Amino acid sequence: MSFLYEKIDTLIESGYSKKMPEYISSNLNPNFELRPYQIRAFESFITYFENEHLCKKPTQTLFHMATGSGKTLIMAGLMLYLYKQGYRNFLFFVNLSQIVQKTKENFLNSISSKYLFNEEINIDGEIIKIKEVSNFQYSDDSAINICFTTTQGLHADMWGMKENSLSVDDFENQKVVLISDEAHHLNADTKRMNKEEEENYRSWEYTVHRIFDINRDNILLEFTATCNLEEPLIKAEYENKIVFDYPLYKFRADGYSKEIKTLRSDLDVEGRALQALILSQYRYKVFQDYRQNIKPVVFFKSRLVKENALNMTRIIEMVKSLTAEQIKNLFEQSTSQTINEAQKYFIKNGISYDELASELKDDFSEEHCISANDNQDVEKNQIILNSLEDEKNPYRAIFAVDKLNEGWDVLNLFDIVRLYETRDAKKGKPGQTTTKEAQLIGRGARYCPFKVSDNQEKYKRKYDNDIDNPLRICEELYYHCWNEPRYISELHTALREIGIDLDEMVVRNHTLKDSFKQDELYKSGYVFINERKVVSRNTVNSLLPSIKDKIYDIRFTTGVSGEDILLESTSFQDIKQKTYVHKTTIHDIANINYSIVNKAICRYSIFKFSMLKSRFPNLKSTKEFIQSKNYLGNIRIHITSKYENLSNEILYQACLKVLKTVADSISAIQETYEGTKDFKACYIYDIFKNKRCNYTNPHDGDIGISQNDVSVNDKWRIDLSQEDWYAYEDNYGTSEEKSFVAYFKKYVDELKQKYDKVYLLRNERQLAIYSFDDGQRFEPDYLLFLHSSKTDGYEQMQIFIEPKGSHLLEQDKWKEDFLLQIEKSATPVTTFADDNKYKIWGFHFYNEQNREIEFDNDMKKIIS
């Protein structure tokens, strides 16, 4: 049986999805920009809830989402949606009282930096209030009424009959939405329980399910990052309830978390603590260098509560008596490359060890430290601990044991220091303490949003492959621990279990050859790049090339099946079903039956003519939008099915699938850009430098593998360190790139007969150009520099080259179109006039199977 979210994904991919209503995004805090996966979460729930064949009553769903992925924002958006569906009463309950206090801030305190709603909530012209209530007897029918409690408190209220508290009467005659955060605590009935767990379950968990079952229209929304689907009983309970699945490994792979590093050392506890403080201060200064007002904090983790206060005193005293000599000794002892980078930064910026010691004494003084285990003024401390990013929050160091393992959503945590050296593994498996440490690391990995240029995404990592970028340290969480091999192995196992694999990443060095760096081309030559600029949409007459020129492959069930006799030695055989591929366009379908396309676009509100007109001012009619080659008309669709002749229904479903992509693209339009045709001169040495890059699990001669590796195809294998025309010592590109470099080598001798300098450079995200049509960013893989000396100067040709796999030729066609426009349209602009001549060209994509003739012709042009 497949999971519920897989069934919903199938519906969405088939074009039966429900779009997220505009009133959800417009009534959430505009500072929290909705991410693609969050929009998908809303659409998954709405698609399920509004499908009468799929949705069960009462309705129980689980959102399985990574820590830091914005579960509370999803809760707030669902409150708005369910209010529109007639729900007014919302019961929010969690396992821990401190999470309740934090959540109240998020839902009720409009001046909090983490307040979830817009300043004014307006649905259909009606102003909606958010109200906290203690029960639902006198709730406001025109407001969102929220009752906050813990699961234990809910049980006590329900069966204790206290005045003004919740009772069974609150639920018998009105529908309620129950919202459970950290819902893995509700899973007690799906696990094998000891006696104490069983008694606990029969109390508060029974209460939750009793409330839920009272009214057929009740809804239970559960949220957790840790639903253990490897446990058979839990899987059986939840496989038909998980409405959206976005675990940590997806969250991290999509770039929404910090990158995680362990910094293990043989230093004593004070040494590890000092190491973390120095890194924190280094990061603080890098943020300031780029005008980012972000204050990094350090978390000191103790093993036991009774040790926490002692450790806090110990670290505070160490900081008070800190000397320049201690800092100097730590730098000299450490073999960590990151610590070495920090030391070089302080030296380069003229910060002496005495000055650094003084800064650490001030920034990590006792008044800037806080204990999460201090039971005095707990509510105030919880607010402080959940607002550490705020400009006025003075704290740089937090001391705790387990109190912050759940419900803590700080973003500016960058260092965690383990203040003990014990292990609790059993039979090679990580113990409970190590598992909790891994979960704390996962919580600390929330990305701290920032961007330093307009074309960057604020909420995603930007420097994964740019290891030497100073801002790289600002996207990393460091876990400072004891250097004991067995413990490190156990920790990595525990991290893998929650979706973080630290062992799959390798580093490659892209090193420029000394011979190239000594060449005048590198020392004083130019590379030309353009910029993008905002333009009025009054000049826009088409969809983006990346949308309208793309081929959309749509597959329908073909009926392929198989029949096998088990335990017999005969080979398995599939029963083949003949398939047909029909190639058509939106224009062709409209010519067959205009209503097919018209009906399909009516499924998406963005295609209302008023909405289209606001984005495409020159559009005359919906018919033009459907039929014109500048809009939908020329969009190509390849339909694979078992039908020799396509029915109107198949054509309609194909249109629905294609139009969803188009609708998403149009919905995302905010500003319109174009790339400038003036290409400004930059010094080559400022752009191309030595660079270290990360690669994930490189294998089989592909990306991250040396061009001279034994796994590389024999005809492509080259020792590039011996080739004077290749500027770097090696090439770690894709197999298609290695094919190109081997192909290019065949032409080098001919090129050298015409040009006195021939250099091919790999562009490892060091340089970007912008499409003339729409300003889309493009980072061509290679630049070829050809140089000819003249009596009155020299002539330089700069050529952008992009090897492209066959599966991407059509998808990335806009890039090839842009490259082919460059020769005629690009104008090289130097700061000072000189007698040299510069040419900027772009070639066809290089593809060994499908573009070799075109690329050969391009090469012959520069040779002849």
Side-chain angles (χ1 to χ4, degrees), residues 515-526 684 757:
S515 57
F516 177 64
K517 289 192 290 185
Q518 295 306 312
D519 194 288
E520 284 302 314
L521 179 69
Y522 183 75
K523 292 197 290 185
S524 60
Y526 294 131
I684 292 176
K757 298 181 192 294

Side-chain angles (χ1 to χ4, degrees), residues 62 180-187 221-225 238:
L62 176 68
S180 171
D181 195 10
E182 306 294 351
H184 53 278
H185 293 291
L186 287 182
N187 296 339
L221 305 175
E222 298 183 70
F223 294 82
T224 188
Y238 278 100

Side-chain angles (χ1 to χ4, degrees), residues 267-308:
L267 299 170
D268 59 17
V269 167
E270 283 91 344
R272 289 205 296 271
L274 178 56
Q275 184 173 252
L277 298 183
I278 289 172
L279 265 195
S280 184
Q281 201 68 0
Y282 165 44
R283 189 181 290 106
Y284 191 23
K285 290 188 173 296
V286 172
F287 269 133
Q288 289 177 333
D289 289 345
Y290 288 87
R291 299 179 181 177
Q292 300 296 312
N293 189 20
I294 295 173
K295 170 201 65 181
V297 299
V298 182
F299 182 101
F300 293 97
K301 188 178 188 314
S302 298
R303 187 170 63 96
L304 302 171
V305 173
K306 65 183 180 182
E307 295 173 357
N308 187 62

Side-chain angles (χ1 to χ4, degrees), residues 238-489:
Y238 278 100
E239 67 180 346
N240 207 32
K241 296 184 177 74
I242 301 177
V243 73
F244 184 67
D245 184 62
Y246 194 65
L248 183 57
Y249 78 87
K250 289 184 184 177
F251 185 62
R252 181 170 174 246
D254 287 345
Y256 289 109
S257 72
K258 299 185 188 85
E259 195 50 272
I260 296 163
K261 290 193 172 183
T262 54
L263 189 49
R264 56 190 189 277
S265 68
D266 297 325
L267 299 170
D268 59 17
V269 167
E270 283 91 344
R272 289 205 296 271
L274 178 56
Q275 184 173 252
L277 298 183
I278 289 172
L279 265 195
S280 184
Q281 201 68 0
Y282 165 44
R283 189 181 290 106
Y284 191 23
K285 290 188 173 296
V286 172
F287 269 133
Q288 289 177 333
D289 289 345
Y290 288 87
R291 299 179 181 177
Q292 300 296 312
N293 189 20
I294 295 173
K295 170 201 65 181
V297 299
V298 182
F299 182 101
F300 293 97
K301 188 178 188 314
S302 298
R303 187 170 63 96
L304 302 171
V305 173
K306 65 183 180 182
E307 295 173 357
N308 187 62
L310 293 173
N311 282 331
M312 186 170 175
T313 301
R314 183 180 178 186
I315 301 302
I316 288 171
E317 290 303 315
M318 182 268 288
V319 171
K320 278 182 183 177
S321 59
L322 186 61
T323 65
E325 188 66 23
Q326 288 173 291
I327 293 175
K328 179 174 178 287
N329 289 339
L330 184 134
F331 280 134
E332 289 176 351
Q333 290 176 38
S334 178
T335 59
S336 161
Q337 187 170 348
T338 306
I339 294 296
N340 181 248
E341 290 296 323
Q343 181 185 26
K344 287 193 290 188
Y345 175 90
F346 293 125
I347 292 171
K348 179 182 176 182
N349 287 276
I351 301 169
S352 69
Y353 295 150
D354 277 316
E355 289 171 318
L356 181 56
S358 178
E359 284 186 17
L360 294 177
K361 286 180 180 180
D362 287 340
D363 287 11
F364 292 93
S365 60
E366 186 169 1
E367 57 267 30
H368 295 149
C369 300
I370 185 171
S371 171
N373 287 91
D374 190 345
N375 290 322
Q376 293 183 344
D377 213 351
V378 174
E379 289 190 18
K380 180 183 176 184
N381 282 354
Q382 283 304 314
I383 293 171
I384 290 171
L385 289 165
N386 280 288
S387 62
L388 286 165
E389 306 97 333
D390 290 359
E391 192 175 333
K392 294 181 180 178
N393 188 307
Y395 294 99
R396 290 285 305 273
I398 303 98
F399 293 79
V401 182
D402 291 331
K403 275 211 172 183
L404 299 177
N405 282 10
E406 290 180 5
W408 191 41
D409 59 358
V410 68
L411 301 176
N412 56 335
L413 171 64
F414 290 93
D415 294 277
I416 299 174
V417 187
R418 188 180 192 255
L419 297 176
Y420 46 96
E421 298 179 352
T422 57
R423 293 173 51 243
D424 64 347
K426 293 180 180 178
K427 298 180 180 178
K429 297 185 71 174
Q432 186 178 23
T433 302
T434 308
T435 299
K436 285 182 177 179
E437 289 162 1
Q439 290 169 347
L440 176 63
I441 291 169
R443 183 162 292 282
R446 294 164 181 260
Y447 187 74
C448 187
F450 71 93
K451 64 178 185 177
V452 297
S453 63
D454 290 340
N455 58 21
Q456 290 183 329
E457 291 191 62
K458 184 175 182 180
Y459 295 93
K460 295 179 78 169
R461 293 194 306 273
K462 306 153 193 55
Y463 307 103
D464 277 6
N465 294 319
D466 193 358
I467 299 177
D468 296 320
N469 192 301
L471 283 162
R472 169 84 181 178
I473 191 74
C474 300
E475 295 188 331
E476 295 173 327
L477 170 75
Y478 279 81
Y479 182 69
H480 304 258
C481 62
W482 174 43
N483 188 20
E484 203 283 327
R486 289 176 300 173
Y487 168 72
I488 296 300
S489 174

